[in-house]
Amino acid sequence: MADSRILLAELEEYRRVLERHLSQVTAEYQQLDNNWQQFNAVSEGDYADQFRDGWFRTSQRFHEYLAQTRKINAMLDERIEQLRRLNQAEGGLLG
């Protein structure tokens, strides 16, 4: 039987990496969006219109990605808490 403490440690590490990833990607997206806003303020013509449409789709997909990743993070939080309770219960039985 696998040691649930090892699984707990791995899930906690995965959550830390995922949170770091979310933070980094969000910061980089905000910087890119700021650049886009500056470009959009001065751009005109057909090319600018096409680029706006593309940026809008990209922005929507990015926000969908963030929402799904946050759901994964919430699920990880639940599983981690369940494993912590299980480990505490098992620890109490062993001692």
Side-chain angles (χ1 to χ4, degrees), residues 62-90:
F62 178 77
H63 289 289
E64 290 168 8
Y65 170 78
L66 284 181
Q68 292 301 318
T69 305
R70 287 184 183 121
K71 286 180 184 178
I72 291 169
N73 207 27
M75 184 183 68
L76 281 170
D77 286 340
E78 291 172 14
R79 298 304 187 263
I80 287 169
E81 186 56 36
Q82 290 171 354
L83 273 174
R84 283 183 183 148
R85 285 194 299 263
L86 175 69
N87 286 341
Q88 288 172 350
E90 286 179 352

Side-chain angles (χ1 to χ4, degrees), residues 34-44 47-48 51-52:
N34 287 340
N35 291 339
W36 158 247
Q37 296 300 331
Q38 292 172 1
F39 170 77
N40 188 43
V42 297
S43 62
E44 298 177 352
Y47 178 76
F51 198 86
R52 278 185 196 97

Side-chain angles (χ1 to χ4, degrees), residues 4-64:
S4 63
R5 294 172 295 185
I6 295 170
L7 178 58
L8 177 60
E10 293 296 325
L11 285 176
E12 288 172 333
E13 176 62 18
Y14 180 65
R15 185 184 59 193
R16 278 190 293 276
V17 170
L18 185 60
E19 287 173 350
R20 193 172 346 143
H21 168 73
L22 276 171
S23 178
Q24 182 179 9
V25 167
T26 299
E28 290 175 5
Y29 173 78
Q30 288 174 341
Q31 182 180 0
L32 185 60
D33 190 55
N34 287 340
N35 291 339
W36 158 247
Q37 296 300 331
Q38 292 172 1
F39 170 77
N40 188 43
V42 297
S43 62
E44 298 177 352
D46 291 339
Y47 178 76
D49 292 340
Q50 291 173 3
F51 198 86
R52 278 185 196 97
D53 291 341
W55 179 254
F56 179 73
R57 287 189 306 276
T58 299
S59 180
Q60 283 183 309
R61 288 182 187 133
F62 178 77
H63 289 289
E64 290 168 8

